[in-house]
Amino acid sequence: MKSTLKKLLPFAVVGVMSGATTVGALQYFNHDSNNSDQSYFTKSSNVSFAGMNSASVGDDFVKAAKTTVPAVVTIKNYQSRATSRASEQDLFDFFFGDPFGGGRGQQRQKPQQQAPDNMPSGMGSGVIISPDGYIISNNHVVAGANKLEVVLSNKKSYIATLVGTDPNTDISLLKIEEKGLPYLNFANSDNIDVGQWVLAVGNPLGLNSTVTAGIISAKGRGIGILGGQGKAANPIESFIQTDAAINPGNSGGALVNTNGDLIGINSAIQSTTGYYQGYGFAVPANLARKIVEDIKKFGIVQRGFLGVQSLDLSDDMQVAAYNQQKKANIKSGSGIYVTGFGDKSGAEDAGLKVGDVITKIDGTAITDFADLSMSIGSKRPGDKVQVTYQRNGKENTTTVTLKDQQGGTSTRTKADLSVTEKIGAEFQSIDERTKSYYGLNSGVVAKNVVEGSEMAKAGIVDGYIITEINGKPVNSQKDVENLLNKFSGTAQIKYMDDYGRNYQRGFKMP
């Protein structure tokens, strides 16, 4: 017996010490932002942990739930056109599985039937962020809608106006006409920590005002979902990962701390079935807040770029593929390896060279592409950032002025956009052989069609051939720009799909 006790005693001591260490490790903290808030939207700089005492945790969850539930809404997406192309799989399926039956692993039967006019094509969630009716949600919740209905937690219903969207972050901003609404404050999501208690609030599987609890299980996750279907030209992925249960319908809902402050917008789950298996992903509040402020103030998102072509050194497969292609011997590790520069690159102007390894932005470590995209993507053209980089084993720092994709350093409004930016597509000339094959006298191929754009609403996707605009033949992007520049009203467009079928549609020029 004594021999047995001697053997067990060390394990008992380790268990007690481990338990004591765990209980004693968590503490409350407050962090005040150095930047004063001059924007319309409100935020909170207080981020705190829930204590490990069970009564305290319960009290914190109840308080946070009471604060959050009234500010989370149901969004119903009504569409007049059913999608029949396999390549245009509904984004609800892609992010969360089919909300009306059948997971991602189950292929829908084709051709699809169009939903009745009084039935939504999809449902998601949203968060009220101001008392006069501004609501933040996901881009994929509102994509393709010709009508958006918002239902509050008290069952009151409104028809919402879509103010703007950003496929690159999967964020959208809506507005309903009401005052005195309950709303959530934005927390400073830079202050969150792995292990922190959080609540996810939304309307999963038709179950309104559902609250689930969990912890932040990781930060800065890039999972390749935004660019996976070509919906985002320059995706920003630096998700908050949580094990709070979220399911179809949670999309666009709130991820909050125990104060009931908004730290993220729930966007996706990683699952083999399209339903909860342990991990959900939310857009950080700081990024989401910047996007909706841009949309509200300028009508479009202001996006700054470093202007570098890059290699993520933390991605072993990417590094191996680069080495094989370039006959190089780059070592995997941490940071972003500069492989080239874009036109009018701010980074090149600041002295960066091919072969430099970016390790910090404004003093914050850059370990992978998710870190870089978050650090730069949350800034605007004209902003200056301190870039720390390694060159020949030596650390250097330089100041880079960020530019937009046209090389500008000032903010723009919708009025400043080019024709192709306004309608949401670019166009490429086709050769005479292709015209002959399809029996065409004119045509341009659509490419980089933006999700939710006027081109997308007209049914055009990448690869479709536009033959006429307003009754005039088009053979180049310049033709498209000349015909639509300064045009107002409804434009008529003729195009052909992949199977040679011809269509005529109209869209209102923005």
Side-chain angles (χ1 to χ4, degrees):
M1 183 68 178
K2 288 182 180 181
S3 175
T4 302
L5 286 173
K6 285 181 180 180
K7 290 180 179 179
L8 292 175
L9 184 59
F11 295 100
V13 172
V14 170
V16 171
M17 290 179 67
S18 298
T21 302
T22 302
V23 172
L26 297 180
Q27 58 182 343
Y28 290 94
F29 74 94
N30 292 307
H31 183 92
D32 295 326
S33 174
N34 294 324
N35 300 320
S36 59
D37 181 16
Q38 302 296 331
S39 68
Y40 178 83
F41 300 105
T42 57
K43 70 173 184 178
S44 170
S45 59
N46 295 323
V47 181
S48 62
F49 289 114
M52 292 302 292
N53 179 277
S54 60
S56 175
V57 171
D59 291 342
D60 285 342
F61 285 176
V62 170
K63 174 187 172 184
K66 286 182 177 180
T67 300
T68 307
V69 166
V72 175
V73 304
T74 298
I75 297 176
K76 298 180 180 180
N77 179 321
Y78 294 84
Q79 299 185 20
S80 59
R81 182 175 61 88
T83 299
S84 60
R85 285 168 50 89
S87 62
E88 289 182 322
Q89 181 188 22
D90 185 82
L91 276 178
F92 277 89
D93 289 358
F94 188 63
F95 279 77
F96 275 89
D98 183 354
F100 302 115
R104 270 178 63 188
Q106 297 177 342
Q107 186 69 27
R108 287 186 178 183
Q109 296 298 315
K110 295 178 176 58
Q112 294 176 343
Q113 293 184 347
Q114 184 172 331
D117 290 340
N118 62 342
M119 289 291 292
S121 300
M123 295 175 65
S125 302
V127 182
I128 304 173
I129 53 176
S130 69
D132 59 345
Y134 280 96
I135 297 168
I136 189 172
S137 185
N138 286 139
N139 173 66
H140 76 267
V141 169
V142 304
N146 60 15
K147 184 176 77 170
L148 292 166
E149 182 184 2
V150 169
V151 183
L152 305 187
S153 62
N154 62 9
K155 309 303 181 186
K156 193 170 182 180
S157 176
Y158 302 81
I159 299 301
T161 299
L162 181 60
V163 182
T165 66
D166 181 36
N168 289 315
T169 54
D170 194 33
I171 291 295
S172 62
L173 180 65
L174 295 77
K175 177 76 164 63
I176 60 174
E177 296 305 317
E178 187 59 276
K179 296 189 181 301
L181 293 169
Y183 64 95
L184 294 187
N185 294 320
F186 283 94
N188 185 347
S189 55
D190 289 345
N191 292 341
I192 63 174
D193 279 312
V194 173
Q196 178 179 338
W197 285 104
V198 291
L199 297 180
V201 183
N203 307 289
L205 306 174
L207 303 172
N208 293 338
S209 302
T210 295
V211 181
T212 57
I215 63 168
I216 294 172
S217 51
K219 300 190 300 180
R221 286 290 198 218
I223 57 176
I225 197 169
L226 296 181
Q229 285 192 327
K231 303 295 182 181
N234 297 286
I236 302 176
E237 287 197 8
S238 188
F239 291 117
I240 300 169
Q241 180 180 311
T242 176
D243 64 358
I246 57 176
N247 276 296
N250 273 111
S251 219
L255 187 70
V256 300
N257 59 25
T258 54
N259 291 328
D261 296 322
L262 189 65
I263 63 172
I265 299 298
N266 296 321
S267 292
I269 57 177
Q270 191 162 35
S271 167
T272 58
T273 65
Y275 293 87
Y276 176 72
Q277 285 186 322
Y279 300 110
F281 301 92
V283 179
N286 286 6
L287 178 59
R289 180 171 177 262
K290 184 263 181 187
I291 297 301
V292 296
E293 285 178 343
D294 279 357
I295 292 172
K296 184 175 185 294
K297 184 176 181 180
F298 304 105
I300 58 174
V301 175
Q302 308 294 320
R303 180 85 179 267
F305 291 87
L306 268 181
V308 299
Q309 297 161 4
S310 60
L311 174 66
D312 186 345
L313 294 180
S314 71
D315 188 327
D316 293 341
M317 293 181 64
Q318 190 180 126
V319 172
Y322 180 85
N323 284 337
Q324 183 177 12
Q325 181 183 4
K326 301 293 184 180
K327 302 294 188 290
N329 191 29
I330 306 299
K331 305 294 187 207
S332 298
S334 178
I336 301 298
Y337 182 88
V338 177
T339 62
F341 299 95
D343 294 336
K344 303 177 182 178
S345 166
E348 189 173 27
D349 291 346
L352 267 74
K353 297 181 179 180
V354 172
D356 291 343
V357 178
I358 298 172
T359 57
K360 295 178 184 177
I361 300 290
D362 289 335
T364 299
I366 302 298
T367 60
D368 55 23
F369 190 76
D371 290 340
L372 182 67
S373 66
M374 180 67 180
S375 296
I376 301 300
S378 59
K379 299 185 182 298
R380 300 180 173 96
D383 287 349
K384 298 181 185 298
V385 295
Q386 296 295 313
V387 178
T388 301
Y389 60 95
Q390 295 279 347
R391 180 184 295 169
N392 299 324
K394 182 180 178 181
E395 185 174 88
N396 305 275
T397 300
T398 187
T399 301
V400 177
T401 301
L402 303 181
K403 300 181 180 182
D404 62 25
Q405 288 187 293
Q406 286 70 44
T409 57
S410 59
T411 56
R412 299 193 298 165
T413 65
K414 281 187 175 180
D416 300 317
L417 299 180
S418 67
V419 166
T420 53
E421 287 175 317
K422 287 179 180 178
I423 64 178
E426 297 175 358
F427 305 95
Q428 182 177 330
S429 300
I430 57 177
D431 56 35
E432 292 302 320
R433 182 179 178 182
T434 303
K435 289 180 184 178
S436 177
Y437 179 82
Y438 286 109
L440 302 174
N441 294 317
S442 62
V444 290
V445 177
K447 63 178 185 176
N448 298 327
V449 178
V450 177
E451 175 73 19
S453 67
E454 298 305 318
M455 288 290 97
K457 291 175 185 176
I460 294 172
V461 299
D462 286 1
Y464 280 15
I465 297 176
I466 291 83
T467 56
E468 293 183 11
I469 294 179
N470 290 340
K472 302 289 180 64
V474 289
N475 288 291
S476 66
Q477 181 160 301
K478 188 174 182 179
D479 288 346
V480 176
E481 291 171 347
N482 289 338
L483 286 169
L484 294 177
N485 188 31
K486 298 181 181 179
F487 177 84
S488 60
T490 300
Q492 301 294 325
I493 187 167
K494 289 185 179 180
Y495 65 89
M496 185 180 68
D497 68 13
D498 290 345
Y499 303 102
R501 296 174 296 196
N502 293 297
Y503 303 84
Q504 180 170 321
R505 297 286 186 270
F507 65 90
K508 189 173 182 181
M509 189 66 189

